Amino acid sequence: MLGAARRQLGSGPMLGQVLRRLRPAAAAEVARGYSAAAKEMTVRDALNSALDEEMSADPSVFLMGEEVGEYQGAYKISKGLLDRYGPDRVLDTPITEAGFTGIGVGAAYHGLRPIIEFMTFNFSMQAIDHIINSAAKSNYMSAGQISVPIVFRGPNGAAAGVGAQHSQCYAAWYAHVPGLKVLTPYSSEDARGLLKAAIRDPDPVIFLENELLYGESFPVSAEVLDSSFCLPIGKAKIEREGKDVTITAFSKMVGYALQAAEILSKEGISAEVINLRSIRPLDRAAINASVRKTNRLVTVEEGFPQHGIGAEICMSVVEESFEYLDAPVERIAGADVPMPYAANLERMAVPQVDDIVRAAKRACYRAVPMAAAA
Amino acid sequence: MAAAALLRRIPAARAPPTVFVAARSISDSTAALTIETSVPFTSHLVDPPSRDVTTTPAELVTFFRDMSLMRRMEIAADSLYKAKLIRGFCHLYDGQEAVAVGMEAAITRSDSIITAYRDHCIYLARGGDLVSAFSELMGREAGCSRGKGGSMHFYKKDANFYGGHGIVGAQVPLGCGLAFAQKYKKEDTATFALYGDGAANQGQLFEALNISALWKLPAILVCENNHYGMGTAEWRAAKSPAYYKRGDYVPGLKVDGMDVLAVKQACKFAKDHAVANGPIVLEMDTYRYHGHSMSDPGSTYRTRDEISGVRQERDPIERVRKLLLTRDLATAAELKDMEKEIRKQVDDAIAKAKESSMPDTSELFTNVYKKGFGVESFGPDRKELRASLP
């Protein structure tokens, strides 16, 4: 039924309206518990629908970035928005990140709610002074006079074969800075709920998407599809409950961690997978509660290892739950090298499911003998 | 001091030069007066405004008072810095007062101003008060940023003054963003984004100007050309120091920034232009008597003769004093009295600011976010110092 509606009306913005009309049925399904006939939605459509709904609800929200308008978005995330909201609210910029990011922050100073798209977060480095010095610190330096309700969003981390300058993960860089909030959606539910929360938030939010996740489909409940749906900022999600080892991950690595958990379960290790959702604020309470239950921790991230997200999580656990640890904290991260192009080397530079499985086993003292060092 | 008081109390004893004038106080007349600017405007891609500026005696007196107040504030800040009551960076504006005062006279508080770190006088021009300014400089809670910003981070949002920025050039794209919002909200107002001759070479300025011209934003880029970017003279930093022309496809106007009437005329012209047609560049030819900051004596890269020469020939306050005196709108004694009164005002404000306490230690953790969700933040030793962010 819903499939037919989708074929008729197209995905994305129209779908929400269809489902609102069909809501009584959907609400009943939700009341029954997890919906068996759950809708599926790609992350791309989830983001598009969130942008659409928030722009519809609040006229001060506007989108600015390269190719967001006529091109329909470099990754089609903003498809249809120019037609719907016009060129005053969906603005194509020249390739001048420092300039348009500064303009976006200035617009936020004067009461608008900009969404600045970076074609990838690698290009945010051209604008990083505005993100940090003009946006993140303003509320503090002005003792609350100048708040900056802005969202910086775009794909982050490795794609496939795009080489060293286009593959870096910026989670650790931005999460380092007080005054910023940093969100990392994984599923379509995350994408919708966190992007809506980010747009409604009065502070600068860094919204780190992932290009390889855009095309992935996830089930979404009617609640998620409602235009009022919002996820809290600063709260992680337990994607899979377990009792033997905690695995923290964010963005694409959540999927890998879940695959690893499946493999581990067949070997009698019950892994609890935490989808961080929010890197800053970091849900230390959820992480520590989980480690106090399982007594073992593996942190997973795609970015460079030194001074990364896993380092902070490890320290948090050492500070608050040291006595609960039965094994040293394990850390899986991207290789400590610029991203190579050759497919075999790239595969070695990014964490794989096997890496997570191996680390979890080490944490459980069930290690496979180490392979000879490379 | 006593003599002045005596003169005030016994008007009949004050002997004006001619018999016809009895007791007269400083002119507050609002009758229109037309005065020529010091030099004609030089323009780029636009017809310049007339050299004849309309003003009133009352306005001229206000110019004198406002600029004198700014001058006194900056000189007092110099002393406070040397007494170590002001710490860190302190960039003084004395010499450049005509830009702040002339601009304010041409616009409304609905228009926006954003500047770099030489911001104390712009704050005053936008309606800021002396006690808040001195308190902020001394890091006290009565400061305009409650002591958390310092010299470079004065703001007054209710008067559309957006700071106060420490990163050279960043304020220009931010200013174009303010203009974007003004246009988006259909306000019919404009933004003045001030920057120096040093910042004029920043790439982000040209990025923002390009977008402003494409989207016809009501942005006025005001180059306060005091001829030195820190210690580097303009001819050593810019291949083309004709800053009013650097907008290329964007029109520009060169203005004598030491002539408050020229500044007023240019800013009025620029606002009308920007609201109708998009961005315009104003180059204010001005001068700072102090070095770049209090750490810079200001004499290793320019001669003392140059500094005293400008003070003699082009001082903005002296220029207005001469106008008031030659047109018989005030006497020398009256203006001296005003300056004494201003001096007292400043001294009183400093005394009051000194009474303000340093911010409460809990303020370390306030305003990190507008909405902190009760998230935890930490001091250097988090087992010793942590807080919940409101």
Side-chain angles (χ1 to χ4, degrees), chain A residues 72-319:
Chain A
Q72 307 296 323
Y75 300 100
K76 304 293 180 264
I77 307 301
S78 54
K79 183 172 181 188
L81 297 181
L82 175 65
D83 282 344
R84 183 167 269 223
Y85 297 103
D88 287 346
R89 294 184 67 193
V90 180
L91 298 123
D92 284 324
T93 63
I95 309 173
T96 52
E97 277 78 4
F100 70 72
T101 304
I103 286 178
V105 175
Y109 283 0
H110 200 63
L112 296 184
R113 304 189 83 89
I115 302 167
I116 303 298
E117 177 173 309
F118 291 118
M119 199 179 282
T120 77
F121 263 90
N122 300 284
F123 315 137
S124 73
M125 293 197 288
Q126 311 236 285
I128 200 165
D129 178 63
H130 281 296
I131 296 172
I132 294 178
N133 280 323
S134 305
K137 298 176 184 171
S138 283
N139 199 58
Y140 192 86
M141 291 192 295
S142 69
Q145 272 188 80
I146 313 280
S147 64
V148 191
I150 193 167
V151 176
F152 302 103
R153 51 159 292 275
N156 174 61
V162 292
Q165 293 178 340
H166 289 76
S167 304
Q168 190 164 333
C169 173
Y170 291 88
W173 282 34
Y174 291 121
H176 191 61
V177 181
L180 288 181
K181 293 171 180 167
V182 180
L183 301 178
T184 51
Y186 160 61
S187 62
S188 299
E189 176 179 323
D190 291 356
R192 266 184 67 78
L194 293 177
L195 186 53
K196 279 162 161 297
I199 295 168
R200 296 179 200 178
D201 195 275
D203 293 306
V205 181
I206 302 283
F207 194 82
L208 302 174
E209 301 161 6
N210 185 290
E211 195 225 308
L212 298 175
L213 284 176
Y214 284 152
E216 268 196 49
S217 273
F218 294 87
V220 283
S221 67
E223 189 205 344
V224 170
L225 290 166
D226 190 82
S227 65
S228 65
F229 178 66
C230 205
L231 283 173
I233 289 180
K235 295 282 174 252
K237 181 185 178 199
I238 311 290
E239 288 285 348
R240 180 185 174 125
E241 280 192 25
K243 55 179 188 51
D244 294 331
V245 59
T246 299
I247 305 176
T248 62
F250 61 93
S251 188
K252 187 161 168 54
M253 291 293 122
V254 176
Y256 283 26
L258 288 169
Q259 288 179 55
E262 197 48 44
I263 293 169
L264 288 163
S265 74
K266 296 192 170 65
E267 305 195 29
I269 298 177
S270 154
E272 179 150 288
V273 176
I274 301 183
N275 171 6
L276 292 173
R277 282 182 165 176
S278 180
I279 307 293
R280 185 172 190 114
L282 189 62
D283 195 346
R284 299 167 202 279
I287 295 165
N288 278 281
S290 175
V291 172
R292 287 178 181 212
K293 185 173 71 164
T294 66
N295 311 121
R296 295 160 204 280
L297 175 60
V298 177
T299 68
V300 183
E301 68 201 280
E302 206 192 275
F304 301 134
Q306 194 164 331
H307 313 299
I309 306 299
E312 175 64 30
I313 293 175
C314 176
M315 195 60 208
S316 175
V317 165
V318 162
E319 281 166 350

Side-chain angles (χ1 to χ4, degrees), chain B residues 177-226:
Chain B
L178 294 171
F180 176 91
Q182 290 170 320
K183 184 168 179 172
Y184 190 103
K185 293 194 203 179
K186 301 186 168 33
E187 285 180 11
D188 275 334
T189 54
T191 296
F192 288 76
L194 279 59
Y195 60 99
D197 46 288
N201 301 310
Q202 277 263 316
Q204 59 184 318
L205 196 146
F206 297 95
E207 293 188 16
L209 201 56
N210 178 46
I211 293 178
S212 302
L214 278 171
W215 297 351
K216 289 181 92 167
L217 304 182
I220 298 131
L221 271 63
V222 182
C223 179
E224 292 186 280
N225 182 9
N226 58 25

Side-chain angles (χ1 to χ4, degrees), chain B residues 52-229:
Chain B
D52 295 318
V53 185
T54 313
T55 180
T56 70
E59 185 177 59
L60 285 175
V61 171
T62 311
F63 285 166
F64 182 86
R65 181 189 293 280
D66 290 347
M67 289 196 287
S68 299
L69 190 68
M70 290 174 180
R71 178 67 57 91
R72 199 73 308 267
M73 173 178 72
E74 297 294 74
I75 290 173
D78 175 298
S79 304
L80 289 173
Y81 192 89
K82 287 170 176 153
K84 297 202 196 297
L85 284 162
I86 299 177
R87 308 177 319 121
F89 293 129
C90 188
H91 307 85
L92 299 176
Y93 199 74
D94 50 312
Q96 302 185 208
E97 298 89 349
V99 177
V101 171
M103 178 179 298
E104 199 61 42
I107 63 176
T108 73
R109 292 280 159 80
S110 301
D111 296 302
S112 295
I113 300 182
I114 191 168
T115 187
Y117 41 75
R118 208 175 296 280
D119 59 346
H120 310 159
C121 298
I122 305 281
Y123 170 72
L124 229 55
R126 287 261 93 182
D129 69 286
L130 287 172
V131 177
S132 304
F134 284 118
S135 301
E136 188 59 37
L137 289 173
M138 294 193 282
R140 309 295 175 94
E141 67 176 358
C144 48
S145 299
R146 301 223 301 272
K148 290 171 69 168
S151 165
M152 299 185 287
H153 305 298
F154 283 24
Y155 305 85
K156 199 173 199 305
K157 176 104 184 266
D158 59 13
N160 283 305
F161 173 49
Y162 291 89
H165 292 269
I167 307 297
V168 170
Q171 75 276 19
V172 176
L174 294 172
C176 295
L178 294 171
F180 176 91
Q182 290 170 320
K183 184 168 179 172
Y184 190 103
K185 293 194 203 179
K186 301 186 168 33
E187 285 180 11
D188 275 334
T189 54
T191 296
F192 288 76
L194 279 59
Y195 60 99
D197 46 288
N201 301 310
Q202 277 263 316
Q204 59 184 318
L205 196 146
F206 297 95
E207 293 188 16
L209 201 56
N210 178 46
I211 293 178
S212 302
L214 278 171
W215 297 351
K216 289 181 92 167
L217 304 182
I220 298 131
L221 271 63
V222 182
C223 179
E224 292 186 280
N225 182 9
N226 58 25
H227 309 285
Y228 297 92

